[in-house]
Protein backbone atom coordinates (compact mmCIF):
# COMPACT_ATOMS: atom_id res chain seq x y z
CA UNK A 1 0.00 0.00 0.00
CA UNK A 2 1.39 3.37 -1.06
CA UNK A 3 0.69 6.35 1.19
CA UNK A 4 1.78 9.88 0.33
CA UNK A 5 1.89 13.34 1.82
CA UNK A 6 1.93 16.46 -0.33
CA UNK A 7 1.83 20.15 0.54
CA UNK A 8 0.11 21.37 -2.60
CA UNK A 9 0.41 25.11 -1.81
CA UNK A 10 -3.09 25.84 -3.05
CA UNK A 11 -5.27 22.93 -4.12
CA UNK A 12 -7.26 24.82 -6.75
CA UNK A 13 -4.39 26.77 -8.26
CA UNK A 14 -2.26 23.60 -8.43
CA UNK A 15 -5.09 21.21 -9.31
CA UNK A 16 -3.66 20.26 -12.75
CA UNK A 17 -0.35 19.39 -11.06
CA UNK A 18 -2.09 17.35 -8.36
CA UNK A 19 -4.24 15.42 -10.83
CA UNK A 20 -1.28 14.75 -13.10
CA UNK A 21 0.74 13.45 -10.18
CA UNK A 22 -2.11 11.25 -8.88
CA UNK A 23 -2.42 9.63 -12.32
CA UNK A 24 1.35 9.17 -12.59
CA UNK A 25 2.20 7.96 -9.08
CA UNK A 26 -1.06 6.15 -8.21
CA UNK A 27 -0.84 6.51 -4.42
CA UNK A 28 -3.50 4.65 -2.47
CA UNK A 29 -3.90 7.19 0.33
CA UNK A 30 -2.80 10.84 0.24
CA UNK A 31 -2.56 13.52 2.91
CA UNK A 32 -2.70 17.06 1.49
CA UNK A 33 -1.71 20.28 3.21
CA UNK A 34 -2.01 24.00 2.59
CA UNK A 35 -5.24 23.73 0.63
CA UNK A 36 -5.78 27.51 0.80
CA UNK A 37 -9.46 26.92 0.06
CA UNK A 38 -12.61 27.30 2.14
CA UNK A 39 -14.65 24.20 2.85
CA UNK A 40 -17.07 24.75 -0.02
CA UNK A 41 -14.34 25.38 -2.60
CA UNK A 42 -12.48 22.07 -2.29
CA UNK A 43 -12.35 20.40 -5.76
CA UNK A 44 -14.18 17.26 -4.70
CA UNK A 45 -15.60 16.39 -8.12
CA UNK A 46 -12.36 16.34 -10.14
CA UNK A 47 -10.61 14.45 -7.36
CA UNK A 48 -13.46 11.94 -7.26
CA UNK A 49 -13.27 11.66 -11.06
CA UNK A 50 -9.60 10.77 -10.59
CA UNK A 51 -10.68 7.81 -8.46
CA UNK A 52 -10.33 9.20 -4.94
CA UNK A 53 -12.72 9.76 -2.09
CA UNK A 54 -11.84 12.72 0.10
CA UNK A 55 -12.42 14.33 3.46
CA UNK A 56 -11.08 17.81 4.06
CA UNK A 57 -10.88 20.62 6.58
CA UNK A 58 -10.71 23.84 4.60
CA UNK A 59 -9.96 27.44 5.46
CA UNK A 60 -10.07 30.67 3.51
CA UNK A 61 -6.70 31.87 2.16
CA UNK A 62 -4.41 29.74 4.32
CA UNK A 63 -3.99 26.32 5.92
CA UNK A 64 -6.34 23.44 5.13
CA UNK A 65 -5.75 19.67 5.18
CA UNK A 66 -7.31 16.68 3.43
CA UNK A 67 -7.11 12.90 3.17
CA UNK A 68 -7.74 11.10 -0.12
CA UNK A 69 -8.28 7.37 -0.64
CA UNK A 70 -8.73 5.06 -3.60
CA UNK A 71 -8.63 1.89 -1.45
CA UNK A 72 -11.77 2.16 0.63
CA UNK A 73 -14.04 4.52 2.48
CA UNK A 74 -12.63 7.25 4.70
CA UNK A 75 -14.08 7.25 8.21
CA UNK A 76 -13.16 10.59 9.74
CA UNK A 77 -12.26 10.32 13.43
CA UNK A 78 -11.05 13.83 14.24
CA UNK A 79 -11.11 17.29 12.70
CA UNK A 80 -8.84 19.78 14.43
CA UNK A 81 -6.19 19.16 17.06
CA UNK A 82 -7.60 19.00 20.60
CA UNK A 83 -6.36 21.08 23.50
CA UNK A 84 -7.22 24.67 22.54
CA UNK A 85 -10.86 25.59 21.79
CA UNK A 86 -9.70 29.02 20.60
CA UNK A 87 -7.58 27.54 17.82
CA UNK A 88 -9.66 27.76 14.64
CA UNK A 89 -6.84 27.06 12.17
CA UNK A 90 -7.45 24.09 9.86
CA UNK A 91 -4.27 22.10 10.44
CA UNK A 92 -5.22 18.56 11.52
CA UNK A 93 -7.47 15.79 10.20
CA UNK A 94 -7.59 12.10 11.15
CA UNK A 95 -9.39 9.12 9.66
CA UNK A 96 -9.56 5.34 9.55
CA UNK A 97 -8.83 4.07 6.04
CA UNK A 98 -8.44 0.46 4.93
CA UNK A 99 -7.27 -0.81 8.33
CA UNK A 100 -4.99 2.17 9.05
CA UNK A 101 -5.42 5.23 11.22
CA UNK A 102 -4.10 8.17 9.20
CA UNK A 103 -3.43 11.61 10.66
CA UNK A 104 -2.67 14.46 8.29
CA UNK A 105 -1.21 17.69 9.66
CA UNK A 106 0.17 21.08 8.71
CA UNK A 107 2.20 22.33 11.63
CA UNK A 108 2.56 26.12 12.07
CA UNK A 109 5.59 27.78 10.51
CA UNK A 110 6.40 29.84 13.60
CA UNK A 111 8.26 32.74 12.04
CA UNK A 112 9.22 35.35 13.04
CA UNK A 113 11.11 34.03 16.04
CA UNK A 114 10.82 35.13 18.77
CA UNK A 115 7.23 36.28 18.82
CA UNK A 116 3.59 35.18 19.07
CA UNK A 117 3.79 32.97 15.96
CA UNK A 118 6.70 31.02 17.42
CA UNK A 119 4.95 30.67 20.78
CA UNK A 120 1.86 29.34 19.00
CA UNK A 121 4.01 26.80 17.14
CA UNK A 122 5.47 25.46 20.37
CA UNK A 123 2.03 25.24 21.99
CA UNK A 124 0.72 23.42 18.91
CA UNK A 125 3.63 20.97 19.15
CA UNK A 126 2.78 20.37 22.82
CA UNK A 127 -0.84 19.66 21.95
CA UNK A 128 0.26 17.32 19.15
CA UNK A 129 2.50 15.43 21.56
CA UNK A 130 -0.36 15.02 24.02
CA UNK A 131 -2.74 13.74 21.34
CA UNK A 132 -0.26 11.41 19.65
CA UNK A 133 0.61 9.86 22.99
CA UNK A 134 -2.91 8.36 22.90
CA UNK A 135 -2.34 6.86 19.42
CA UNK A 136 1.21 5.51 19.45
CA UNK A 137 0.33 2.41 21.48
CA UNK A 138 -2.65 1.31 19.38
CA UNK A 139 -2.58 -2.21 17.97
CA UNK A 140 -3.60 -0.87 14.57
CA UNK A 141 -1.03 0.78 12.27
CA UNK A 142 -0.99 4.56 12.76
CA UNK A 143 0.55 6.94 10.21
CA UNK A 144 1.11 10.62 11.01
CA UNK A 145 1.98 12.49 7.82
CA UNK A 146 2.33 16.04 6.69
CA UNK A 147 4.28 19.26 6.64
CA UNK A 148 5.83 19.46 10.12
CA UNK A 149 7.75 22.68 9.37
CA UNK A 150 10.82 21.32 11.15
CA UNK A 151 14.21 20.11 9.97
CA UNK A 152 15.12 17.55 12.64
CA UNK A 153 18.91 17.60 12.09
CA UNK A 154 21.70 19.28 10.14
CA UNK A 155 21.46 16.63 7.42
CA UNK A 156 17.92 17.84 6.71
CA UNK A 157 18.93 21.36 5.58
CA UNK A 158 21.27 22.43 2.78
CA UNK A 159 23.08 25.13 4.79
CA UNK A 160 22.53 24.62 8.53
CA UNK A 161 24.53 27.69 9.53
CA UNK A 162 22.04 29.94 7.66
CA UNK A 163 19.01 28.54 9.47
CA UNK A 164 20.06 28.65 13.14
CA UNK A 165 17.69 31.52 13.95
CA UNK A 166 14.75 30.28 11.88
CA UNK A 167 11.66 28.85 13.58
CA UNK A 168 11.89 25.67 11.48
CA UNK A 169 15.36 24.90 12.84
CA UNK A 170 15.19 26.33 16.33
CA UNK A 171 16.50 24.13 19.17
CA UNK A 172 13.09 24.20 20.86
CA UNK A 173 11.39 22.96 17.68
CA UNK A 174 13.89 20.20 17.03
CA UNK A 175 13.52 19.14 20.66
CA UNK A 176 9.73 19.05 20.29
CA UNK A 177 10.06 16.78 17.24
CA UNK A 178 12.43 14.53 19.17
CA UNK A 179 9.93 14.27 22.02
CA UNK A 180 7.45 12.90 19.52
CA UNK A 181 10.02 10.37 18.32
CA UNK A 182 10.71 9.40 21.92
CA UNK A 183 7.09 8.34 22.34
CA UNK A 184 7.88 5.45 20.01
CA UNK A 185 7.30 6.93 16.55
CA UNK A 186 9.57 5.99 13.63
CA UNK A 187 10.64 8.66 11.14
CA UNK A 188 10.05 6.54 8.03
CA UNK A 189 12.38 8.35 5.65
CA UNK A 190 15.32 8.52 8.06
CA UNK A 191 14.73 4.94 9.20
CA UNK A 192 15.33 3.63 5.68
CA UNK A 193 17.78 6.33 4.54
CA UNK A 194 19.78 7.30 7.64
CA UNK A 195 22.67 9.06 5.89
CA UNK A 196 21.25 10.35 2.60
CA UNK A 197 20.75 13.98 1.66
CA UNK A 198 16.99 14.12 1.16
CA UNK A 199 14.89 17.26 0.78
CA UNK A 200 11.15 17.81 0.33
CA UNK A 201 11.00 21.61 -0.10
CA UNK A 202 12.89 24.11 -2.23
CA UNK A 203 12.21 27.85 -2.43
CA UNK A 204 11.01 29.16 -5.77
CA UNK A 205 13.81 31.70 -6.21
CA UNK A 206 17.59 31.73 -6.70
CA UNK A 207 17.54 28.38 -8.45
CA UNK A 208 17.06 26.55 -5.17
CA UNK A 209 15.66 23.41 -6.76
CA UNK A 210 18.27 23.32 -9.50
CA UNK A 211 21.03 23.72 -6.88
CA UNK A 212 19.31 21.23 -4.55
CA UNK A 213 19.32 23.88 -1.85
CA UNK A 214 16.42 22.32 0.02
CA UNK A 215 14.90 21.36 3.32
CA UNK A 216 13.36 18.14 4.64
CA UNK A 217 10.22 19.35 6.42
CA UNK A 218 7.57 16.84 5.23
CA UNK A 219 7.63 13.71 7.37
CA UNK A 220 6.00 10.37 8.12
CA UNK A 221 5.86 9.14 11.72
CA UNK A 222 4.81 5.50 12.18
CA UNK A 223 3.83 3.62 15.31
CA UNK A 224 5.33 0.16 15.85
CA UNK A 225 2.68 -1.84 13.90
CA UNK A 226 3.04 0.51 10.92
CA UNK A 227 6.85 0.55 11.11
CA UNK A 228 6.88 -3.25 11.04
CA UNK A 229 5.22 -3.10 7.62
CA UNK A 230 7.44 -0.36 6.16
CA UNK A 231 9.10 -1.40 2.90
CA UNK A 232 10.02 1.85 1.13
CA UNK A 233 10.13 5.63 1.61
CA UNK A 234 10.90 8.13 -1.14
CA UNK A 235 10.55 11.74 -2.26
CA UNK A 236 9.01 12.10 -5.72
CA UNK A 237 10.77 15.16 -7.15
CA UNK A 238 9.10 14.92 -10.59
CA UNK A 239 6.24 17.35 -9.82
CA UNK A 240 8.72 19.92 -8.52
CA UNK A 241 10.03 20.24 -12.11
CA UNK A 242 6.62 20.98 -13.58
CA UNK A 243 5.19 24.41 -14.34
CA UNK A 244 2.95 26.10 -11.77
CA UNK A 245 3.94 23.55 -9.17
CA UNK A 246 4.16 23.59 -5.39
CA UNK A 247 7.43 24.43 -3.67
CA UNK A 248 7.14 21.02 -1.97
CA UNK A 249 7.52 17.56 -3.50
CA UNK A 250 5.34 14.59 -2.55
CA UNK A 251 6.78 12.10 -0.08
CA UNK A 252 5.54 8.52 -0.08
CA UNK A 253 5.96 5.32 1.86
CA UNK A 254 5.05 1.76 1.01
CA UNK A 255 3.60 -0.60 3.59
CA UNK A 256 3.39 -4.35 3.19
CA UNK A 257 -0.18 -5.53 2.67
CA UNK A 258 -1.67 -7.64 5.44
Amino acid sequence: MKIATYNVNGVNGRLPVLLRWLALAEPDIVCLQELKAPQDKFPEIPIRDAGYEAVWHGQTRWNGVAILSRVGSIHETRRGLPGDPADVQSRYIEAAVNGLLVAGLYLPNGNPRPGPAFDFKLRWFDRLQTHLSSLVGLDAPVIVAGDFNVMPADIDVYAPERWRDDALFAPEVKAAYQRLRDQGWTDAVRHLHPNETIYTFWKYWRGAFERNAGLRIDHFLLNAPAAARLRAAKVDIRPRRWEKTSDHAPVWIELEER
Side-chain angles (χ1 to χ4, degrees):
M1 187 184 308
K2 188 175 184 181
I3 305 157
T5 181
Y6 191 10
N7 180 320
V8 290
N9 191 18
V11 70
N12 287 302
R14 318 282 184 197
L15 185 59
V17 171
L18 174 61
L19 295 177
R20 179 182 174 186
W21 176 73
L22 290 174
L24 181 67
E26 298 184 323
D28 297 306
I29 299 169
V30 186
C31 295
L32 300 178
Q33 304 89 45
E34 213 171 343
L35 302 179
K36 295 182 178 178
Q39 191 69 13
D40 62 346
K41 296 299 183 181
F42 183 82
E44 180 182 13
I45 293 175
I47 286 175
R48 186 177 294 276
D49 289 345
Y52 290 85
E53 293 189 20
V55 295
W56 64 96
H57 186 20
Q59 188 169 358
T60 302
R61 293 188 61 201
W62 307 111
N63 307 322
V65 287
I67 298 174
L68 317 183
S69 170
R70 65 169 193 162
V71 291
S73 299
I74 306 172
H75 303 281
E76 185 178 321
T77 56
R78 179 167 294 278
R79 177 176 297 234
L81 189 65
D84 182 3
D87 178 12
V88 296
Q89 297 188 18
S90 302
R91 294 184 175 273
Y92 186 91
I93 194 165
E94 182 184 294
V97 189
N98 197 28
L100 311 175
L101 184 65
V102 179
L105 64 83
Y106 177 42
L107 208 136
N109 178 285
N111 281 303
R113 167 184 178 260
F118 186 67
D119 295 340
F120 177 69
K121 178 173 189 160
L122 294 181
R123 291 196 304 271
W124 208 94
F125 242 132
D126 287 343
R127 290 162 53 205
L128 182 65
Q129 181 183 3
T130 298
H131 180 58
L132 293 189
S133 69
S134 68
L135 304 182
V136 66
L138 295 179
D139 293 334
V142 182
I143 294 96
V144 184
D147 180 353
F148 282 71
N149 269 319
V150 55
M151 296 89 78
D154 283 7
I155 194 176
D156 299 310
V157 52
Y158 73 98
E161 67 280 0
R162 301 180 188 177
W163 291 84
R164 299 298 181 194
D165 296 327
D166 193 277
L168 279 67
F169 203 48
E172 303 96 315
V173 172
K174 291 189 286 185
Y177 185 81
Q178 186 59 49
R179 286 195 295 273
L180 290 180
R181 294 283 311 279
D182 290 344
Q183 289 181 344
W185 298 97
T186 294
D187 181 328
V189 170
R190 274 290 162 242
H191 180 70
L192 293 183
H193 308 283
N195 301 310
E196 291 185 33
T197 298
I198 296 173
Y199 302 137
T200 66
F201 168 91
W202 302 259
K203 291 182 178 180
Y204 286 122
W205 54 83
R206 298 177 182 173
F209 179 71
E210 291 74 15
R211 295 185 292 114
N212 201 28
L215 313 173
R216 188 176 78 96
I217 58 177
D218 304 89
H219 306 301
F220 276 94
L221 295 182
L222 313 182
N223 75 341
R229 294 171 54 180
L230 180 64
R231 294 296 174 265
K234 299 285 185 180
V235 179
D236 187 348
I237 64 171
R238 293 174 296 180
R240 189 58 180 82
R241 297 189 177 105
W242 301 342
E243 292 184 3
K244 299 182 180 179
T245 190
S246 172
D247 41 9
H248 294 249
V251 186
W252 59 266
I253 64 171
E254 187 175 315
L255 300 184
E256 182 182 73
E257 295 280 0
R258 293 284 174 88

